[in-house]
């Protein structure tokens, strides 16, 4: 398979950046390289996505292709084969990539929960034994659902969410989107009200 000159040039630039950081492996150089790597990954993925949309028989397989979406028992189930960005890197290129991939994989479910109040249950699986769930940003998941028009908005009138963390040898994320009415009734009925 012959790759396009744009993809080749991006890979060449990435190789040069890597060689540069290996020559002077200081923390600041490494940090700059990792930021550049995220940016290059995003740009290469965009070029590969464009390449794959052309009518070629030999498409390039990416992690994007491992994203999955299905509806089971009125619940939208998503599988995201990567790690969520940390709050520190919340507006990174990885963030944008997750938004675009969720929007792409949920295209067939457009407006599924458009006029509903939903709860988004997010299960984050990571290879670390102990880690803080609240240090991960769930924003790209919420934004991907909005961008893909599965839900109208992720504001307080349309959406609530819950996040759980788990250990796994294979880092990934599982997401379930469902109408919130029954779950919220159960929660609100059983929680004490501090103002009364």
């Amino acid at each position: 398979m012959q790759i396009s000159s744009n993809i080749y040039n991006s890979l060449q630039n990435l190789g040069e950046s890597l060689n540069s950081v290996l020559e002077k492996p200081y923390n600041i150089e490494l940090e700059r390289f990792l930021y550049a790597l995220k940016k290059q990954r995003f740009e290469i993925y965009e070029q590969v996505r464009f390449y794959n949309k052309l009518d070629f028989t030999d498409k390039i397989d990416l992690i994007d292709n491992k994203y999955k979406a299905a509806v089971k028992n009125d619940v939208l189930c998503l599988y995201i084969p990567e790690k969520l960005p940390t709050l520190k890197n919340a507006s990174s290129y990885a963030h944008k990539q997750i938004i675009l991939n969720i929007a792409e994989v949920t295209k067939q479910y457009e407006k599924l929960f458009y006029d509903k109040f939903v709860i988004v249950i997010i299960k984050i699986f990571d290879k670390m034994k102990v880690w803080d769930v609240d240090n991960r940003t769930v924003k790209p998941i919420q934004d991907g659902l909005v961008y893909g028009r599965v839900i109208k908005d992720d504001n307080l009138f349309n959406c609530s969410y819950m996040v759980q963390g788990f250990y796994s040898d294979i880092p990934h994320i599982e997401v379930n989107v469902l109408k919130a009415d029954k779950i919220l009734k159960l929660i609100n009925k059983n929680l004490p009200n501090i103002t009364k």
Side-chain angles (χ1 to χ4, degrees):
M1 170 181 63
Q2 180 86 27
I3 62 172
S4 74
S5 59
N6 287 341
I7 296 173
Y8 179 83
N9 291 338
S10 292
L11 291 170
Q12 188 89 14
N13 291 340
L14 191 58
E16 289 169 12
S17 297
L18 180 59
N19 287 335
S20 171
V21 81
L22 289 174
E23 288 171 13
K24 325 176 254 187
Y26 308 114
N27 282 345
I28 191 74
E29 292 297 324
L30 183 59
E31 194 171 320
R32 284 186 192 138
F33 170 73
L34 292 174
Y35 179 79
L37 176 63
K38 287 178 188 174
K39 183 178 179 190
Q40 286 287 345
R41 175 189 181 215
F42 181 76
E43 290 171 2
I44 291 168
Y45 273 27
E46 286 300 294
Q47 292 170 21
V48 169
R49 222 187 244 120
F50 174 75
Y51 174 87
N52 284 346
K53 283 183 181 174
L54 300 174
D55 199 20
F56 294 123
T57 50
D58 41 333
K59 298 192 183 299
I60 299 172
D61 190 31
L62 293 174
I63 196 169
D64 296 11
N65 303 340
K66 294 173 177 49
Y67 276 68
K68 293 184 178 20
V71 173
K72 299 174 184 174
N73 301 323
D74 298 323
V75 176
L76 175 62
C77 307
L78 298 174
Y79 176 82
I80 301 169
E82 22 193 351
K83 293 174 86 166
L84 277 176
T86 61
L87 287 171
K88 181 182 172 187
N89 298 316
S91 59
S92 68
Y93 289 95
H95 177 114
K96 293 175 192 166
Q97 196 68 36
I98 292 170
I99 292 171
L100 293 174
N101 285 332
I102 290 173
E104 180 68 26
V105 80
T106 58
K107 270 199 290 197
Q108 61 187 326
Y109 304 113
E110 185 176 318
K111 296 195 175 181
L112 180 65
F113 296 110
Y114 220 62
D115 58 348
K116 309 283 190 289
F117 185 78
V118 299
I119 185 163
V120 180
I121 301 170
I122 302 164
K123 296 179 179 180
I124 305 170
F125 296 82
D126 205 314
K127 217 170 180 168
M128 293 184 290
K129 296 274 186 192
V130 178
W131 54 282
D132 293 345
V133 176
D134 66 334
N135 289 340
R136 301 294 172 85
T137 178
V138 297
K139 188 161 178 48
I141 294 170
Q142 308 285 80
D143 290 349
L145 293 168
V146 173
Y147 193 72
R149 298 172 52 90
V150 173
I151 60 176
K152 191 173 194 173
D153 202 338
D154 60 345
N155 66 31
L156 72 144
F157 300 110
N158 298 91
C159 185
S160 62
Y161 67 93
M162 174 180 128
V163 183
Q164 295 175 280
F166 300 92
Y167 172 81
S168 173
D169 286 333
I170 302 168
H172 67 281
I173 306 143
E174 295 174 9
V175 180
N176 292 290
V177 184
L178 59 150
K179 288 188 270 183
D181 50 359
K182 289 181 185 170
I183 292 175
L184 292 179
K185 272 184 198 167
L186 180 69
I187 291 171
N188 292 330
K189 180 182 171 188
N190 291 300
L191 289 178
N193 187 336
I194 197 163
T195 59
K196 290 183 181 176

